[in-house]
Every structure is written in C-alpha cells, then in structure tokens.
C-alpha cells in the first residue's frame, strides 16, 4: 500500500487530550496510513492554504464548537464530534472519557470513506456504526475474542503511550491496573491477546500476576518491562532478571524507559 496521510483539524480539547492526540499522530507515522494536524499558515503575508483537512475533530464542550454547529462542512470533510449536543451533520459522535482506539478507528474509516467516494472501494462504510457495543461480548465466530490487552503497573505516561500504540495495533480495549486483586479479577473475566507488566512496580505482586496471565493466556503476547533490562543495569542483574522472566514464559523482556522502536517491533506482531 502506498503511504497515505489524513489531515485533521483539531478544535478544542484539554492539554492532556491534546498530548494523547499528538501521540496518536506521531505513532501513526510508522503506518502506511498516517495522520497529521492541519494548521493554516499564519505568517504575515503568507498565502491562505488551499488544502482542506479531511477530518474536523471537534471538542463539543469548547467555545469554538459553536462554529461547527453553524457552518456547513467543506465538501468531502467529515466531522467527528466529542461530547454532547452534536449537530446533525456529525459523521461520528464520541463521549468522554475518550477511547483513543475508537478515535483511531474513525480516522481509518474516514480514509476508507474517501476511497469509497472516489470509486476505489465498493463498500458502504459511510454510515455511523453503533456506539454502545459491549466490548466484552463475542462479536465474531464462536471462540473469537475481543482484541483486548492488560497493562499492569505502568505509570501515567507509559499508560498513555501503550494505549495509543496498542490502538494503532488494532487493540480496541486496554485495561490498566495497579492493584493485585483487581488484576486477578480481570484476568478471570477476560481473555487477552497482550499483557504488559512493569516489573519495577513494587506496590503489587507483578511476578505472580505475570505467571497467572501466562497460564490463562498461553497464546498472548506477554511483555515484561524493567530498568534492569537497560544498559545501565549491571551485567549480573540483567542476566538474572532475564533468566527469571523467561522461566515464567514471557515473550520478551524490554527496557524501561521505553524504547519506541523496541515496543513497536513487538506490538506489530499482534
């Protein structure tokens, strides 16, 4: 597939949400289909840009959202609305807290819809899909599971990165857990295709949780992360943690802080 890019006009959103969205944009550059923010040239004397963003992503709770209610959308542009009181011409409507996997899915659907409009695809992807599907339901053939991952012991920044990177890998739901009992409860309730475990979080019994996860999900991608896997750790400590982790049956032991290429190389296998 030739590399394609979708331009997104972003209206509103908090600093935290903007950071998560920028992470989606940055990580998407690794894919054949990527996203980039659309920003008009504002320098004095600069020509008005002729390009029109394919998507308007609008925070319905922002003051600027009023304009999206009032004006018509440019030809070929689609409106993804986040929050209440969406206008009738909104193509997709999402609610908070924002599921970035859903945003990514809708952005992909915008590209597919443009392909349909141009006659390159014979599919009807232009109608909004239901937003109240239960992700825990079996949505496919008997035995098929929801694409779901669990992240154990990650800090806020790591959690945001992993949610975004997993969304790019097509994982629709990510459970982030920092409590042993809740983690065990979720593992009993769900089947996972990926688990990421921070071995440096000493608040919870990560090793026991990782063993239980591998037993429950033998076919899953199981990634353990630790500062002891990095180059600054001593040779003996690196060797010991690697030996112990692989005895549990994990797929790979990765460094903390995260190395994006290292993470991507494994999550692309999902």
């Amino acid at each position: 597939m030739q590399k394609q890019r979708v331009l997104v006009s972003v209206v509103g959103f908090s600093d935290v949400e903007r950071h998560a969205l920028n992470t989606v944009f940055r990580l998407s550059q690794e894919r054949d289909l990527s996203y980039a923010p659309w920003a008009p040239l504002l320098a004095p004397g600069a020509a008005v840009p002729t390009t029109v963003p394919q998507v308007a992503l609008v925070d319905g709770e922002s003051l600027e959202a009023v304009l999206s209610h009032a004006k018509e959308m440019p030809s070929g542009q689609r409106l993804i609305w986040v929050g209440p009181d969406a206008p009738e011409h909104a193509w997709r409507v999402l609610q908070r807290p924002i599921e970035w996997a859903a945003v990514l899915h809708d952005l992909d659907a915008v590209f597919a819809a443009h392909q349909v409009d141009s006659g390159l695809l014979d599919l009807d992807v232009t109608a909004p899909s239901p937003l109240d599907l239960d992700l825990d339901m079996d949505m496919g053939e008997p035995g098929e599971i929801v694409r779901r991952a669990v992240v154990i012991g990650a800090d806020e920044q790591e959690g945001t990165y992993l949610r975004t990177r997993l969304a790019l890998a097509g994982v629709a739901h990510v459970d982030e857990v920092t409590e042993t009992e809740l983690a065990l409860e979720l593992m009993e309730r769900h089947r996972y295709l990926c688990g990421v475990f921070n071995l440096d979080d000493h608040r919870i019994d990560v090793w026991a949780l990782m063993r239980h996860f591998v037993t429950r999900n033998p076919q899953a991608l199981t990634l353990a992360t630790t500062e002891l896997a990095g180059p600054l750790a001593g040779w003996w400590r690196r060797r010991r943690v690697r030996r112990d982790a692989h005895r549990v049956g994990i797929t790979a032991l990765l460094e903390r802080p995260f190395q994006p290429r290292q993470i991507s190389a494994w999550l692309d296998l999902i």
Side-chain angles (χ1 to χ4, degrees), residues 91-161:
W91 189 64
R92 290 286 195 273
V93 179
L94 303 174
Q95 303 298 334
R96 284 183 168 89
I98 299 173
E99 288 282 353
W100 294 107
V103 173
L104 182 71
H105 175 272
D106 287 347
L107 290 173
D108 282 346
V110 167
F111 175 74
H114 277 285
Q115 297 291 87
V116 172
D117 293 343
S118 63
L120 297 177
L121 285 176
D122 184 20
L123 296 170
D124 181 13
V125 296
T126 57
S129 58
L131 298 176
D132 57 351
L133 297 178
D134 183 353
L135 290 175
D136 293 333
M137 292 176 59
D138 183 355
M139 300 302 296
E141 298 297 327
E144 182 181 352
I145 62 173
V146 171
R147 294 178 64 82
R148 193 181 195 107
V150 64
V151 174
I152 305 290
D155 62 30
E156 183 177 355
Q157 184 176 0
E158 291 172 340
T160 298
Y161 177 84

Side-chain angles (χ1 to χ4, degrees), residues 3 74 79 81 91 108 130 163 202 249:
K3 282 189 173 291
L79 171 62
W81 185 275
W91 189 64
D108 282 346
R163 283 196 311 273
H202 302 298

Side-chain angles (χ1 to χ4, degrees), residues 20-259:
L21 186 58
N22 286 334
T23 302
V24 171
F25 289 153
R26 186 176 68 254
L27 292 177
S28 74
Q29 304 308 310
E30 303 172 8
R31 310 165 80 220
D32 290 326
L33 177 59
S34 65
Y35 308 100
W38 176 84
L41 300 174
L42 300 176
V48 176
T50 57
T51 57
V52 175
Q54 295 99 313
V55 188
L57 181 62
V58 176
D59 174 8
E61 298 178 6
S62 66
L63 296 176
E64 303 95 323
V66 176
L67 296 176
S68 299
H69 264 289
K71 66 180 182 180
E72 290 187 7
M73 305 297 293
S75 177
Q77 187 182 86
R78 286 174 167 81
L79 171 62
I80 298 177
W81 185 275
V82 177
D85 303 321
E88 291 184 359
H89 57 273
W91 189 64
R92 290 286 195 273
V93 179
L94 303 174
Q95 303 298 334
R96 284 183 168 89
I98 299 173
E99 288 282 353
W100 294 107
V103 173
L104 182 71
H105 175 272
D106 287 347
L107 290 173
D108 282 346
V110 167
F111 175 74
H114 277 285
Q115 297 291 87
V116 172
D117 293 343
S118 63
L120 297 177
L121 285 176
D122 184 20
L123 296 170
D124 181 13
V125 296
T126 57
S129 58
L131 298 176
D132 57 351
L133 297 178
D134 183 353
L135 290 175
D136 293 333
M137 292 176 59
D138 183 355
M139 300 302 296
E141 298 297 327
E144 182 181 352
I145 62 173
V146 171
R147 294 178 64 82
R148 193 181 195 107
V150 64
V151 174
I152 305 290
D155 62 30
E156 183 177 355
Q157 184 176 0
E158 291 172 340
T160 298
Y161 177 84
L162 289 170
R163 283 196 311 273
T164 307
R165 193 58 188 77
L166 284 162
L168 290 171
V171 178
H173 196 92
V174 179
D175 294 326
E176 293 183 67
V177 194
T178 56
E179 298 176 9
T180 300
E181 291 185 3
L182 177 58
L184 288 172
E185 179 184 334
L186 289 170
M187 288 182 199
E188 292 300 317
R189 188 189 310 165
H190 304 299
R191 289 291 183 269
Y192 294 99
L193 53 76
C194 178
V196 183
F197 297 82
N198 174 17
L199 300 182
D200 300 333
D201 188 343
H202 302 298
R203 299 169 299 172
I204 55 180
D205 192 347
V206 182
W207 286 91
L209 290 173
M210 192 163 60
R211 291 188 189 94
H212 187 65
F213 178 87
V214 170
T215 301
R216 293 275 298 171
N217 305 273
Q219 304 303 318
L221 178 70
T222 306
L223 304 178
T225 67
T226 176
E227 294 177 359
L228 297 180
L232 298 181
W235 172 83
W236 176 250
R237 298 178 74 188
R238 278 204 313 273
R239 181 178 182 275
R240 184 173 60 184
V241 74
R242 190 174 300 276
R243 178 200 62 195
D244 292 343
H246 285 290
R247 281 179 176 174
V248 172
I250 68 166
T251 310
L253 181 68
L254 307 181
E255 299 175 30
R256 291 185 66 240
F258 291 162
Q259 304 299 311

